[in-house]
Amino acid sequence: MTTDARKTFTIEGGAIHDIRSFYGEINRIFMADEDWKLGESLDGLNDLFYGGFGAISGDEPVTLVWREIEKSATDLGLEAARGWHRQKLEHPKTFDATQIQRSLDALETGEGKTYFEIVLDIIADHPNIDLVKA
């Protein structure tokens, strides 16, 4: 007989109002025992889900419950994505302004992805993580 050694983590969507508070919630859940915090970085979020630091060890099975996910979809939606892209455009020496503008234009025509949709894609790229939308 096998037992499911799956860890369960819960994102409280009510605590999320924007990108900054999203990472605050991620740090509360996954980085509580670390002496450093994850910055506002999708690459960092992806690395976190690979495990090896924070609360996930490698590719162990994880259930991620996201409460009030509809609220988070709005709070990390179109307006958040616009602001995120525009902020990057303010730093053309750091970011590829042409690519960022293309992404912003795609977002404006309804073809691009919101910040929330990108986060969901990142989670989906990790087969060890089962997302439960609550």
Side-chain angles (χ1 to χ4, degrees), residues 42 45 76 81 84-85 112-125:
L42 291 169
L45 182 67
L76 300 174
W84 176 61
H85 287 301
K113 292 188 177 190
T114 66
Y115 202 88
F116 179 77
E117 291 168 329
I118 296 168
V119 168
L120 290 184
D121 285 349
I122 289 171
I123 294 169
D125 282 344

Side-chain angles (χ1 to χ4, degrees), residues 10-106:
T10 301
I11 296 174
E12 296 295 344
I16 298 170
H17 310 287
D18 54 17
I19 292 171
R20 173 166 283 157
S21 58
F22 168 71
Y23 284 96
E25 183 66 1
I26 292 299
N27 281 313
R28 179 189 71 80
I29 298 164
F30 294 103
M31 300 296 288
D33 293 333
E34 298 289 339
D35 60 359
W36 59 280
K37 299 298 177 201
L38 190 67
E40 296 176 22
S41 164
L42 291 169
D43 288 336
L45 182 67
N46 192 38
D47 289 345
L48 174 76
F49 290 142
Y50 276 113
F53 65 90
I56 300 175
S57 299
D59 61 354
E60 70 180 328
V62 169
T63 297
L64 182 58
V65 178
W66 194 327
R67 292 191 178 141
E68 297 183 58
I69 196 165
E70 295 84 11
K71 178 186 177 307
S72 296
T74 300
D75 292 339
L76 300 174
L78 186 58
E79 288 304 315
R82 280 182 182 135
W84 176 61
H85 287 301
R86 289 178 181 147
Q87 184 179 36
K88 286 183 169 193
L89 285 174
E90 294 173 7
H91 304 281
K93 291 182 180 178
T94 304
F95 300 103
D96 181 347
T98 302
Q99 179 58 42
I100 298 299
Q101 187 62 56
R102 272 192 229 123
S103 295
L104 182 57
D105 292 344

